[in-house]
Amino acid sequence: MVVKTTIRLPFTPEIARAAEPFYRKVAHVVPEIEWPVHAPYVVAINKLKAERNAVILAHNYMTPEIYHCVADVVGDSLHLARIAARTEAKIIVQAGVHFMAETSKLLSPDKTVLIPDATAGCSLAESITAADVRALKAKHPGLPVVSYVNTSAAVKAESDVCCTSANALAVVEDIAREWGVDTVIMTPDEFLAQNTAKKTAVKIIAWKGHCEVHERFTPADIRGFRKADPSVTVLAHPECPPAVVAEADYAGSTAEMQRYIADKHPKRAVLVTECSMSDNIAVDFPDIDFVRPCNLCPHMKKIGLQNILHALETLTVEVRVDADIAARARRSVERMLAVGKTPVAA
Ligand code: 13P
Ligand code: SF4
């Protein structure tokens, strides 16, 4: 469903004044010429979300005017899921893709969960169906299925536990121990499965889904960054192919990359992941030089200030999950949240 957006709002002197503190925050990464377009939405969204008792949960891949100017909580998939489970707000606006909004609905079934564009999907989530998971279980009886949160609720419902890129290792080892097995099935990200398998004695049977953003990076890209500046620090997301992760200095979820940057404070860094990550971190670390290889996620980029405002105005598009699927999917997500918070590090 394509969402109609509010028509462009005017940039008045009053709006300019009200939005000024936000602009000071993002001036480093948002061109001045763009600000008159964003500012009226920033002001309107902040006003309306307070009136509606809404919270905006924004993924690290949102653009800086969303991430730094209207979001209440920002983070990786794991952090956003944890917050969704305990927010007091009446309405959750998910500034991210559809599977993230579904996860929020599973964990907060009594809240209104809105996604500003219901077509914001994910190549991983689309690579596997509930029937595929049932077929895998029939082929490998007695083995648990670990599914990445980047899946539909129907796939989560057929799985034994979920994971994110931040806790994949801990979840795989935990479920193997609990089931008393040496092998688990992991869906749908083949590369996350292979990157996780390198760190554990547990054997992993992987599905062949890929992230269309991360699968495009190559080891030659990394060698190119190092050739241009041998002192550059390279961080890669574990959705990248193992050969790319092997060339990186560190691999971790989007939040883990952020923590690494804060802890190590390299002079120059390259984040081998979606474009907006570097922009968002650069706001907090203006003295670090970010080399920006740009692979956009077309799904994440469907979310903008205009459709966030439209979602708050119209309370659409509301995310709903069939009750039976939700009950089973919730078990997989809650089981994940109960597992230790051990991060996956390269
Ligand atoms: P994170 O859990 O690291 O935020 O990743 C989610 C995602 O979709 C990355 O492509
Ligand atoms: Fe899915 Fe990749 Fe986009 Fe993340 S970056 S939402 S994994 S397509």
Side-chain angles (χ1 to χ4, degrees):
M1 174 177 154
V2 176
V3 176
K4 277 195 273 133
T5 51
T6 314
I7 49 167
R8 190 171 154 178
L9 300 175
F11 183 59
T12 62
E14 203 184 7
I15 294 286
R17 265 194 308 280
E20 172 59 23
F22 295 106
Y23 188 59
R24 264 188 267 124
K25 240 179 47 217
V26 295
H28 180 50
V29 291
V30 174
E32 204 176 342
I33 196 168
E34 285 180 16
W35 191 242
V37 178
H38 299 317
Y41 290 94
V42 167
V43 173
I45 289 168
N46 282 311
K47 183 166 177 286
L48 191 54
K49 79 176 181 192
E51 287 167 13
R52 292 233 192 260
N53 187 12
V55 67
I56 299 181
L57 306 186
H59 186 259
N60 289 328
Y61 294 161
M62 290 294 103
T63 47
E65 67 280 3
I66 296 174
Y67 184 96
H68 287 287
C69 302
V70 301
D72 298 287
V73 179
V74 294
D76 65 356
S77 310
L78 182 59
H79 183 62
L80 297 183
R82 286 198 174 119
I83 297 295
R86 62 171 193 245
T87 181
E88 305 259 291
K90 243 175 74 191
I91 297 170
I92 295 174
V93 179
Q94 197 83 34
V97 291
H98 194 266
F99 75 80
M100 295 178 175
E102 260 189 353
T103 305
S104 290
K105 185 66 186 175
L106 295 176
L107 294 169
S108 258
D110 300 331
K111 315 245 164 187
T112 301
V113 177
L114 305 174
I115 177 105
D117 185 331
T119 70
C122 168
S123 65
L124 282 167
E126 276 139 36
S127 72
I128 189 160
T129 65
D132 292 328
V133 181
R134 285 194 293 272
L136 272 172
K137 288 197 287 196
K139 192 171 166 198
H140 304 284
L143 296 187
V145 177
V146 179
S147 284
Y148 199 24
V149 283
N150 297 39
T151 46
S152 65
V155 165
K156 290 180 174 77
E158 296 295 337
S159 307
D160 298 294
V161 63
C162 288
C163 74
T164 73
S165 56
N167 62 14
L169 176 60
V171 168
V172 162
E173 294 195 332
D174 186 80
I175 197 96
R177 205 179 309 118
E178 189 190 297
W179 283 49
V181 291
D182 64 0
T183 306
V184 305
I185 300 165
M186 201 165 166
T187 83
D189 189 345
E190 182 182 28
F191 297 149
L192 178 66
Q194 290 170 343
N195 287 323
T196 305
K198 289 197 164 160
K199 299 180 182 130
T200 177
V202 178
K203 290 192 269 303
I204 298 180
I205 298 168
W207 187 251
K208 287 201 177 300
H210 296 144
C211 161
E212 67 188 89
V213 174
H214 293 92
E215 71 176 351
R216 299 209 301 271
F217 292 110
T218 66
D221 293 335
I222 314 285
R223 288 196 283 272
F225 302 135
R226 293 205 195 277
K227 195 168 171 208
D229 177 359
S231 73
V232 75
T233 298
V234 180
L235 290 79
H237 195 280
E239 289 171 10
C240 292
V244 170
V245 169
E247 302 252 354
D249 298 301
Y250 177 79
S253 79
T254 55
E256 288 170 334
M257 286 190 212
Q258 221 163 350
R259 273 197 291 277
Y260 182 98
I261 292 287
D263 290 350
K264 308 273 184 201
H265 217 100
K267 262 175 66 186
R268 175 173 287 175
V270 52
L271 307 184
V272 183
T273 188
E274 212 268 351
C275 307
S276 293
M277 264 295 288
S278 302
D279 290 341
N280 290 330
I281 301 188
V283 168
D284 298 323
F285 301 98
D287 54 327
I288 298 179
D289 181 18
F290 288 95
V291 183
R292 297 176 199 209
C294 209
N295 276 0
L296 273 175
C297 173
H299 312 288
M300 292 279 183
K301 263 49 219 185
K302 285 183 175 172
I303 309 301
L305 292 175
Q306 291 201 9
N307 55 20
I308 290 174
L309 180 60
H310 186 267
L312 279 166
E313 283 173 340
T314 59
L315 299 185
T316 59
V317 178
E318 189 173 351
V319 175
R320 293 176 198 274
V321 184
D322 168 86
D324 169 58
I325 290 176
R328 290 184 293 130
R330 188 175 304 119
R331 272 205 298 273
S332 296
V333 179
E334 283 176 347
R335 200 187 175 302
M336 167 187 85
L337 294 176
V339 172
K341 296 171 190 171
T342 316
V344 174

